[in-house]
Structure formats: structure tokens, C-alpha cells
Amino acid sequence: MSGVPEAASSGRHFGGAASSPAVPSQGREVKRVNPKRAAKLAARAAAKVSSRSTASQEALRLELESRKAEAVDDRRARRREAADHKHEVARRKRIERRRDR
């Protein structure tokens, strides 16, 4: 036993004390929404509905998105190449230090 009375460890009421029945909550039934968040969501929804663009605007938007994705890929590749180069330089230095011993 871990020092806990039998009644408490089995989930029963400790010391014979019974708990009172659940009381229904008197809280607000409708949760208040942050007014700034509500305004932001409303503006976003209005922008989606009213942003009917022409075909040329849609083409420009798609081109911009594809260029952004390409730039992300290029940046990721350059970062990976730089990390590989740094790793290779460190490896060469380690080998060279070992040879000098």
C-alpha cells in the first residue's frame, strides 16, 4: 500500500463524506467573440466574395505565386549547397589536421 487509505484509492468518498449533486452552470450560453477577431474574419470573408478578378489579373496572380514557389525552392537549394560546402571544408580540415600529427 502507498499510504493512501483504501476508500480513497478505490475512488470512493474519503472519510464517508459524500459530494453534493452537480449544479447546472449559470454562465453565458453564447460565447462572446473578440471584436477585433470578428472584424478581421468579416473583412476576410468580404474580400473573398468581392474579389472577382479578370482573367488577366488571375493569370498575373498565378504567375506571381509560381515565381514565389520557385524562389523558395532556389533559396532552399542554395542553403543546402552552402551547408554541404561548409561540411566538406570542415571534413577536409579534420583530415588535414590528422595528417599533420
Side-chain angles (χ1 to χ4, degrees):
M1 204 43 84
S2 63
V4 177
E6 181 66 31
S9 64
S10 65
R12 294 188 191 157
H13 302 293
F14 182 71
S19 63
S20 61
V23 177
S25 65
Q26 298 287 333
R28 293 183 290 227
E29 288 142 11
V30 178
K31 184 178 178 187
R32 288 180 55 195
V33 180
N34 182 344
K36 287 183 179 181
R37 182 180 299 151
K40 189 190 321 182
L41 291 173
R44 193 178 296 159
K48 276 187 178 179
V49 171
S50 66
S51 66
R52 303 286 181 217
S53 62
T54 63
S56 62
Q57 287 174 333
E58 188 69 19
L60 284 172
R61 186 184 63 79
L62 291 174
E63 182 184 351
L64 177 64
E65 287 179 4
S66 68
R67 276 190 278 148
K68 279 185 181 179
E70 188 177 332
V72 167
D73 291 341
D74 288 345
R75 209 169 24 249
R76 193 173 291 147
R78 272 189 270 125
R79 199 176 299 135
R80 191 178 306 122
E81 286 173 8
D84 289 344
H85 175 72
K86 188 175 178 181
H87 180 71
E88 182 63 28
V89 168
R91 190 181 68 79
R92 282 192 210 131
K93 281 184 176 181
R94 260 194 325 270
I95 292 172
E96 196 60 35
R97 280 194 301 261
R98 283 185 199 153
R99 286 183 183 163
D100 289 344
R101 287 184 181 181

